Amino acid sequence: MNSISIHNVIPKFFIPKTLAQNETIWKKNTTFKKGENYVIIAPSGSGKSTLANAVLGNHFEYEGQILYDDLDLKSMSIEAIVNYRRKNLQLLFQDIRLIPDLSIRENILLRVFNKKDLQFEEKLSEYAQILGITSLLDKKAKNCSYGERQRSAILRSLINPAEFLIYDECFSHLDVENKEKAFQLIHKVAKEVGSAVIFFELNDFPFNHNYNKLNL
């Protein structure tokens, strides 16, 4: 997949509080291209999670079009969307969605879809060290703090990355130092594999970056 486009999209059942602002991407045409990087500044009430979940195909409660390349998402079956996004698209949800009774390692390796490959174990060890969670790998997710689970979910998103990586406030429980470490790791992995990165954030990052900035 080379692009995700949103054409004149607006939620059906609520009015985003930023809708009247000229710079919002609601009711505009915006294209996200593979290999490019974006941060969408989305204050509370702007519909951040609504748009992120619509792009993933989790709901169709919007007017307008969302396109995967030239495919209109609303024309696809649920089965087709699920199969399509395995390789092409993944969203790290704001509520993380680790399985509580699995270890951090087991949660992370769910993303490799039962493939047995030494490269995944090597990546897991390397990325865990960068994110400071090596000691947590065999600990159950339910026994970890929210920030620890958040870093673990970030690692899971990178172990077998899709072509479009979407993050919904994925750094919300991290301090500035850990935010930047996680950001730099995401950027590094995405650049290596040619993926696009789209961050949805309440505010811009507290460190320098050269991502395309958009407003919701």
Side-chain angles (χ1 to χ4, degrees):
M1 184 164 72
N2 293 308
S3 67
I4 298 172
S5 300
I6 57 174
H7 291 173
N8 296 310
V9 168
I10 184 72
K12 280 185 178 178
F13 300 117
F14 80 97
I15 299 174
K17 74 175 189 180
T18 55
L19 185 60
Q21 298 178 9
N22 289 331
E23 63 270 22
T24 182
I25 61 175
W26 286 122
K27 296 194 77 173
K28 304 279 178 59
N29 294 336
T30 304
T31 297
F32 303 97
K33 297 178 181 179
K34 183 180 176 184
E36 296 192 8
N37 305 308
Y38 308 85
V39 55
I40 300 173
I41 309 303
S44 297
S46 62
K48 169 177 56 62
S49 296
T50 297
L51 181 58
N53 277 281
V55 168
L56 193 67
N58 280 348
H59 71 83
F60 304 115
E61 303 302 328
Y62 57 88
E63 297 176 2
Q65 289 180 303
I66 296 175
L67 305 178
Y68 293 170
D69 292 332
D70 295 322
L71 273 175
D72 188 336
L73 202 51
K74 289 180 180 177
S75 72
M76 300 170 67
S77 68
I78 296 299
E79 292 78 12
I81 291 171
V82 170
N83 289 331
Y84 204 80
R85 69 191 183 195
R86 174 178 286 198
K87 175 180 182 291
N88 296 298
L89 181 69
Q90 64 191 97
L91 167 64
L92 177 51
F93 294 92
Q94 192 173 353
D95 58 0
I96 302 174
R97 302 194 182 183
L98 297 182
I99 298 174
D101 284 316
L102 292 184
S103 70
I104 294 299
R105 184 190 306 276
E106 289 167 333
N107 270 286
I108 290 167
L109 292 176
L110 288 174
R111 177 63 201 163
V112 307
F113 307 116
N114 294 318
K115 295 176 185 175
K116 300 295 183 184
D117 195 321
L118 182 60
Q119 67 165 319
F120 295 127
E121 291 290 348
E122 290 174 345
K123 285 181 182 179
L124 193 157
S125 296
E126 177 190 350
Y127 300 166
Q129 184 170 11
I130 292 170
L131 294 174
I133 59 169
T134 301
S135 63
L136 305 176
L137 292 177
D138 296 313
K139 192 174 181 180
K140 287 188 176 182
K142 67 183 180 183
N143 295 325
C144 297
S145 71
Y146 200 95
E148 290 170 342
R149 284 183 280 133
Q150 203 160 48
R151 282 179 283 164
S152 302
I154 290 167
L155 197 164
R156 181 180 60 184
S157 75
L158 300 174
I159 196 75
N160 186 23
E163 293 176 339
F164 284 78
L165 299 168
I166 304 175
Y167 296 93
D168 183 2
E169 281 192 82
C170 68
F171 305 141
S172 61
H173 283 66
L174 303 184
D175 60 30
V176 173
E177 182 180 356
N178 279 307
K179 279 182 183 179
E180 188 164 10
K181 283 181 181 177
F183 174 90
Q184 293 298 344
L185 179 60
I186 291 169
H187 181 73
K188 169 181 175 291
V189 173
K191 187 175 180 180
E192 288 173 351
V193 300
S195 296
V197 179
I198 305 171
F199 289 107
F200 285 85
E201 292 288 325
L202 290 173
N203 302 288
D204 198 2
F205 297 123
F207 43 79
N208 292 329
H209 64 85
N210 61 356
Y211 279 39
N212 298 297
K213 281 197 275 190
L214 302 170
N215 291 281
L216 194 60

